[in-house]
Amino acid sequence: MSRIPVPRSGRPVAVLALAAGLLGLLAAPPGAPTPSPRTSPVAAVAENTATVFYWTKTKNWTAHHLHYAPDGGSWTTVPGVAMEPACTDWVKKTVSLGTAAGLQATFNNGSGTWDNNGGRNYALGTGNITVKDGVVAHSDPCADTTPSPAAGATVYYSTEALGWSTANIHYQPAGGAWTAVPGIGMQAACAGWWKREIDLGTAASLRAAFNNGNGTWDNNGGSDYTIGTGVSTVRNRVVTAHAADPCAATPPDTQAPTAPAAVTAAADGVSVLLSWDPATDDRGVTKYQVTRTGGSGGTVVTDVASTVYSDTGLAERTAYTYTVRAVDAAGNVSAASAPATATTGDRPATPATGKPLATDPRKDPIYFVLTARFNDGDPSNDRGGSQHVKSGNAANDDPMFRGDFKGLIQKLDYVKGLGFSAIWVTPVVLNRSDYDYHGYHGWDFYKVDPRLESAGASYQDLIDAAHAKGMKIYQDVVYNHSSRWGAKGLFVPTVYGVRDGQWSWYYDEKQPGFEYDGLTIDAKTGKSYYNGDLWSTAEPAGNTCVNWGKPTGGKSAEGYTVYNCQWPSPTSGMFPKELYHQCWIGNWEGEDSRSCWLHEDLADFNTENPTVQNYLIGAYDKYIDMGVDGFRVDTAVHIPRTTWNRRFLPAIQERVTQRHGAEAAKNFFVFGEVAAFVNDKWNRGSVNHSAQFYTWKERKEYDADDAKAALEMYDYEQQQGTGNQPTSTNAFLDGNSYHTPDHSRFSGMNVIDMRMHMNFGDAQNAFSNGKDSDDSYNDATYNVVYVDSHDYGPNKSSERYAGGTDAWAENMSLMWTFRGIPTLYYGSEIEFQKGKKIDCGPTCPLADTGRAYFGDHVAGSVTATDFSQVSSASGAVATTLQQPLVRHVQRLNQIRRAIPALQTGQYSTEGVTGGMAFKRRYTSGSTDSFALVTVSGGASFAGVPNGTYTDAVTGDVRTVTSGTLSVAAPGKGNLRVYVLNGPGRIGAAGPYLK
């Protein structure tokens, strides 16, 4: 039963004071405010009045009453005084307050429906007051608009980024007096804009500040605004004088874009790579039309979103001519560019055969490998690099580049035998660094690193081999940065080099015809992989590096002089600001985290620049064409969401659709690393740096310039705060029912579940934290969930997880049954390198780290007949396959694969008691999969559908007739999965699932 709220005076109500209104009060239902006691009359000294305006549009009431009490006075008799029509969607009432400086008020429809401000009543002042959907302001919404005299100002004020429901202008004509606070009300002009025409008399300008009538001000940071005569707009603290009416109808767009310039075409086998400079348009170019002529196919026109296009599958030794036109949103088409012609060569001996498997990614548990550390199939491509001896790797005969695609192909059956149907591989592009085995120091983004490939075991061969076994390949990609030596084809810095003992490993003499590929050693010196292409002792033309070649005053560890411009950095001036950012990150949750360098080895791309965008889009189109099934996006948080949503994500979708079809594009899995190493729902309160933020589309328009848009979005979303972010029910059941998810606002990027990752020191914490965040993702059923990785363990530990075998089993049982996609870092199935520091760079041997070589544990032969099914194994891998967590993950994969609810289902804990217990359901067509799950502990499920439930772990059968099922605790790491009309026990009992 609702409690009847009393006015905020809080004084006791006298019986006699209630008598007059008793019948009316008894007739009022809960929610009507109780009148205050009457007070002794006081002689009026001055007469105060209040004109109360009430917004009616959202109420649908047929009558409106104001029930009020002047401050210190008594309440009117319920239901109060009738209000009268004022203007469209407003009613009003002017009341006398005597000497009172305000009043308390509530509103009702005269028939028992009340608005009492959620039980608090409204505290109102004197003069004109508006009450609109719970917001109190001071203005007259029905004020007549009087035409401005010749010396007048028409002021438009934008509240689009503020969320105000009303606006006042408080102003002072030049030489005149300020209006009384809060100023005069502005009229709604159009969406996001308010307007006021002001008579300035003889004044030529005014000073102004704006407020929402409820104490929130915009006074231009304390400086106020100076506004002249005529029409002016004020938007995001910018005054535009003599402005166009922002609410005027937009004239039709009849102006075509300029023709694209600098079109180039380069042939590679039977493919042609086309690029051009962006066209310009008064309102923005939306796409390009590429027209190809030549060959037997006639004229072909293709729509492209970026300024890079790769045309593949052409005829051999054939000339093709291309022209490009730009198209704007209105459909205006530019003139054609100047033609560009390229002649194809011979078709590669082994044509690309890759095509993504294009199935729902939630069905595919992921096995994550550092390719260079997993299994060595071809020792001839092993490379130790310049740090081979210094790191201690040489003493272990363990070159940093050791594993390769051939080794991974050889062990696909091992991964399949574990039950995994997707493999996440570290970046494959050619790296350039002195310790770059991990792949995150990209240099030539258009070339696969030769240290990973072998004859008959190219990257394409790996993709095709995995697909042949029903397994996906997710490629780790980096859009945020290159190596410190730049990016080939975009910009490579020239450094000052002195060829002495300190630098001979890098600053070798340039050899004609010898090009860096990470694999080939300079025949002249017999030791370096580099060809001197970066260094110069002579200052190059156009040099921007400060103090070129001058000693810094410091010495290296070897005692050599250190020179300026010898080592690239963001502040050295060696990188053009158009292509690379120029600072170090100072605030990891601030705006500079997207516009500064993470580390000296990671030169930060200016991803808001079209040239950079096109370079990266063109590069990753290559791998989409090869048939990869998705991208894991490194350092995604360091690129603004606007840039992802405008440029990179649409480009991915466009390319996959173009090459492989709409179904492949729908299921091309993009999951971003939005690193947030905290245990709260929102990363230190910064929405722009929280994982779930990246799963949403933008909710407003920003500047056409991507750099400006990034700043506008950052400011806008920070002002909105964590409490005003979009929410979703896509991960949650509606009671016991599955509902079709709404992905209309999905950005195209899913994310790694950083919050669960950070809390996996204890499975219960991970579960609780995961649930708490799930309403803020677009769809948390697509979250990638892991315990540890090549970077961190739980709670930002720098060591591989060492919680014990039982804890590992419990974590796995949760990951494989709760929402999201379970992911295992290579070797965790045998607690490989548990407790070891994950990464110490070249300061210690890799063999001592969490990135140690794993191949010794999978040596021998293994054959998988199906997922989680090994028909034969010999050698060390046979021993590995008998380890308790291996058997545990094999069966978990069997169970998950057999129960659709555990793969793609929504979940709920409604009516569920127990620590880690939940229900999941997935319904589609003839499939209706409903499961009750508890991990480690006992649980009770109430209000579930009646019927027959079978536990997938033990085969136990329960018949539910009263909507309740109780489960005893199975023990740590074990679980129970009772499935309605389920298939029975799945798999054989193991060390934990029994």
Side-chain angles (χ1 to χ4, degrees), residues 126 146 308 315 475 481 487 591 638 714 727 764 766 836 879-880 895 920 983 994:
T126 60
T146 56
V308 175
Q475 179 178 330
H481 58 263
E591 195 284 325
H638 300 293
Y714 179 86
T727 58
Q764 178 66 62
K836 294 294 183 66
T879 302
T880 295
I895 292 172
R920 296 191 68 183
K994 54 188 177 181

Side-chain angles (χ1 to χ4, degrees), residues 426-746:
T426 39
V428 304
V429 304
L430 175 58
N431 272 224
R432 186 164 189 165
S433 169
D434 53 330
Y435 215 59
D436 53 9
Y437 65 95
H438 42 65
Y440 297 101
H441 296 162
W443 186 65
D444 188 345
F445 286 71
Y446 285 77
K447 183 175 184 177
V448 175
D449 200 311
R451 290 168 289 188
L452 297 174
E453 294 194 302
S454 308
S458 67
Y459 186 38
Q460 186 68 66
D461 292 326
L462 169 64
I463 295 168
D464 295 344
H467 287 173
K469 293 181 180 293
M471 303 167 71
K472 295 179 178 179
I473 295 294
Y474 295 148
Q475 179 178 330
D476 209 322
V477 295
V478 185
Y479 287 77
N480 176 68
H481 58 263
S482 69
S483 73
R484 71 152 61 89
W485 308 109
K488 183 183 179 184
L490 182 69
F491 175 78
V492 176
T494 300
V495 300
Y496 180 79
V498 176
R499 292 181 61 237
D500 53 28
Q502 180 184 9
W503 297 104
S504 62
W505 62 271
Y506 200 90
Y507 298 129
D508 275 325
E509 182 179 357
K510 188 168 184 176
Q511 303 299 320
F514 174 49
E515 183 175 346
Y516 168 76
D517 63 4
L519 182 69
T520 308
I521 298 176
D522 175 10
K524 186 170 184 178
T525 64
K527 60 180 180 179
S528 177
Y529 307 101
Y530 307 106
N531 71 339
D533 57 334
L534 299 180
W535 75 276
S536 175
T537 54
E539 185 171 0
N543 170 56
T544 55
C545 186
V546 179
N547 296 318
W548 174 268
K550 295 181 180 179
T552 64
K555 296 284 186 180
S556 71
E558 297 84 358
Y560 291 95
T561 298
V562 178
Y563 298 89
N564 283 303
C565 309
Q566 198 169 50
W567 201 244
S569 74
T571 57
S572 63
M574 300 172 78
F575 291 86
K577 64 182 179 181
E578 294 80 12
L579 305 179
Y580 283 88
H581 291 133
Q582 309 284 300
C583 53
W584 298 106
I585 291 180
N587 179 2
W588 289 85
E589 278 75 45
E591 195 284 325
D592 61 338
S593 71
R594 71 98 190 164
S595 57
C596 299
W597 288 33
L598 297 168
H599 188 271
E600 64 177 357
D601 282 318
L602 312 176
D604 200 77
F605 285 131
N606 178 6
T607 50
E608 285 63 70
N609 179 282
T611 301
V612 175
Q613 293 169 356
N614 292 332
Y615 175 82
L616 293 167
I617 290 170
Y620 290 123
D621 279 353
K622 170 188 174 84
Y623 306 105
I624 290 172
D625 293 352
M626 293 174 74
V628 296
D629 300 274
F631 287 158
R632 180 269 186 182
V633 182
D634 182 72
T635 51
V637 69
H638 300 293
I639 295 175
R641 187 178 72 177
T642 46
T643 304
W644 283 116
N645 289 355
R646 287 177 170 191
R647 311 300 176 201
F648 296 137
L649 294 173
I652 291 170
Q653 280 290 300
E654 178 187 76
R655 189 65 171 196
V656 179
T657 302
Q658 182 188 84
R659 284 293 182 262
H660 306 300
E663 188 67 16
K666 173 186 173 184
N667 290 309
F668 189 87
F669 190 44
V670 179
F671 58 105
E673 178 205 24
V674 183
F677 300 110
V678 294
N679 291 322
D680 48 6
K681 182 172 183 177
W682 296 97
N683 185 9
R684 295 183 176 90
S686 176
V687 296
N688 282 280
H689 299 88
S690 300
Q692 55 269 49
F693 182 75
Y694 279 75
T695 66
W696 296 95
K697 287 181 179 178
E698 306 307 327
R699 45 182 167 169
K700 67 187 295 292
E701 291 294 325
Y702 299 105
D703 196 283
D705 178 86
D706 284 351
K708 294 178 181 178
L711 293 171
E712 288 180 2
M713 180 202 66
Y714 179 86
D715 290 339
Y716 175 74
E717 294 293 356
Q718 293 299 90
Q719 289 177 23
Q720 294 298 305
T722 60
N724 193 27
Q725 294 300 311
T727 58
S728 167
T729 61
N730 285 339
F732 306 117
L733 293 173
D734 182 4
N736 291 317
S737 299
Y738 178 86
H739 62 92
T740 302
D742 177 8
H743 294 148
S744 61
R745 299 169 67 194
F746 175 50

Side-chain angles (χ1 to χ4, degrees), residues 736-867:
N736 291 317
S737 299
Y738 178 86
H739 62 92
T740 302
D742 177 8
H743 294 148
S744 61
R745 299 169 67 194
F746 175 50
S747 67
M749 180 184 288
N750 296 288
V751 291
I752 294 168
D753 197 318
M754 295 300 294
R755 194 173 183 197
M756 287 194 72
H757 162 55
M758 287 299 294
N759 284 280
F760 258 120
D762 178 81
Q764 178 66 62
N765 283 343
F767 176 61
S768 299
N769 279 273
K771 289 190 302 176
D772 181 52
S773 294
D774 283 355
D775 66 339
S776 58
Y777 297 97
N778 181 267
D779 191 342
T781 66
Y782 288 85
N783 285 13
V784 169
V785 183
Y786 58 59
V787 173
D788 63 358
S789 72
H790 59 325
D791 288 325
Y792 293 103
N795 296 312
K796 205 179 180 181
S797 166
S798 59
E799 291 81 35
R800 287 195 74 154
Y801 181 68
T805 309
D806 291 351
W808 250 124
E810 185 176 58
N811 286 340
M812 289 179 179
S813 291
L814 176 63
M815 286 194 295
W816 262 257
T817 56
F818 189 42
R819 73 8 169 211
I821 302 171
T823 301
L824 201 68
Y825 179 40
Y826 81 102
S828 292
E829 65 272 22
I830 61 169
E831 297 178 86
F832 180 60
Q833 298 295 88
K834 63 181 179 181
K836 294 294 183 66
K837 190 174 183 64
I838 294 172
D839 176 29
C840 60
T843 64
C844 73
L846 279 166
D848 295 341
T849 72
R851 298 177 177 180
Y853 175 65
F854 189 63
D856 295 337
H857 296 276
V858 291
S861 65
V862 57
T863 301
T865 54
D866 202 349
F867 294 105

Side-chain angles (χ1 to χ4, degrees), residues 94-418:
T94 301
V95 297
S96 175
L97 302 178
T99 59
L103 68 153
Q104 295 188 68
T106 63
F107 304 87
N108 65 87
N109 69 350
S111 301
T113 300
W114 289 81
D115 172 7
N116 59 11
N117 195 23
R120 300 185 298 275
N121 304 331
Y122 290 98
L124 309 179
T126 60
N128 293 325
I129 308 162
T130 61
V131 180
K132 180 181 180 182
D133 292 336
V135 177
V136 176
H138 294 269
S139 63
D140 179 356
C142 303
D144 291 332
T145 302
T146 56
S148 298
T154 300
V155 181
Y156 286 90
Y157 182 68
S158 172
T159 59
E160 181 183 27
L162 302 175
W164 293 359
S165 59
T166 189
N168 299 316
I169 180 170
H170 176 48
Y171 70 92
Q172 175 195 42
W178 283 91
T179 55
V181 173
I184 61 174
M186 303 183 77
Q187 294 87 41
C190 57
W193 286 97
W194 299 78
K195 174 184 178 181
R196 188 73 197 195
E197 295 180 345
I198 298 171
D199 184 354
L200 295 179
T202 60
S205 65
L206 69 147
R207 292 177 64 196
F210 302 88
N211 64 86
N212 68 350
N214 207 32
T216 301
W217 286 81
D218 171 11
N219 60 5
N220 195 23
S223 302
D224 299 325
Y225 292 96
T226 298
I227 300 172
T229 58
V231 177
S232 298
T233 60
V234 182
R235 180 176 183 264
N236 295 337
R237 291 192 177 181
V238 176
V239 177
T240 303
H242 309 297
D245 181 347
C247 297
T250 303
D253 182 4
T254 59
Q255 181 176 329
T258 61
V263 179
T264 61
D268 179 11
V270 291
S271 298
V272 172
L273 181 65
L274 207 67
S275 65
W276 58 90
D277 291 343
T280 59
D281 185 69
D282 60 332
R283 301 189 190 180
V285 173
T286 57
K287 66 179 180 179
Y288 295 90
Q289 291 179 347
V290 176
T291 300
R292 181 188 75 205
T293 57
S296 60
T299 299
V300 177
V301 180
T302 305
D303 288 342
V304 180
S306 67
T307 59
V308 175
Y309 174 64
S310 180
D311 197 13
T312 60
L314 302 173
E316 295 179 293
R317 296 181 294 282
T318 302
Y320 291 93
T321 299
Y322 298 85
T323 58
V324 184
R325 299 175 185 265
V327 185
D328 65 18
N332 298 308
V333 182
S334 76
S337 69
T341 299
T343 300
T344 57
D346 294 331
R347 189 176 303 280
T350 304
T353 56
K355 189 173 181 63
L357 297 183
T359 55
D360 191 319
R362 293 173 295 177
K363 297 180 179 180
D364 301 300
I366 302 170
Y367 192 72
F368 170 37
V369 301
L370 270 75
T371 310
R373 306 301 299 159
F374 182 66
N375 185 52
D376 190 5
D378 179 8
S380 71
N381 60 14
D382 294 356
R383 290 295 181 271
S386 64
Q387 303 295 314
H388 189 48
V389 174
K390 183 178 180 180
S391 65
N393 289 338
N396 291 297
D397 192 21
D398 184 25
M400 60 168 183
F401 262 97
R402 189 172 179 183
D404 44 39
F405 296 142
K406 185 173 183 179
L408 185 50
I409 291 170
Q410 290 171 347
K411 300 305 173 184
L412 286 176
D413 270 25
Y414 170 75
V415 179
K416 185 170 184 175
L418 295 178

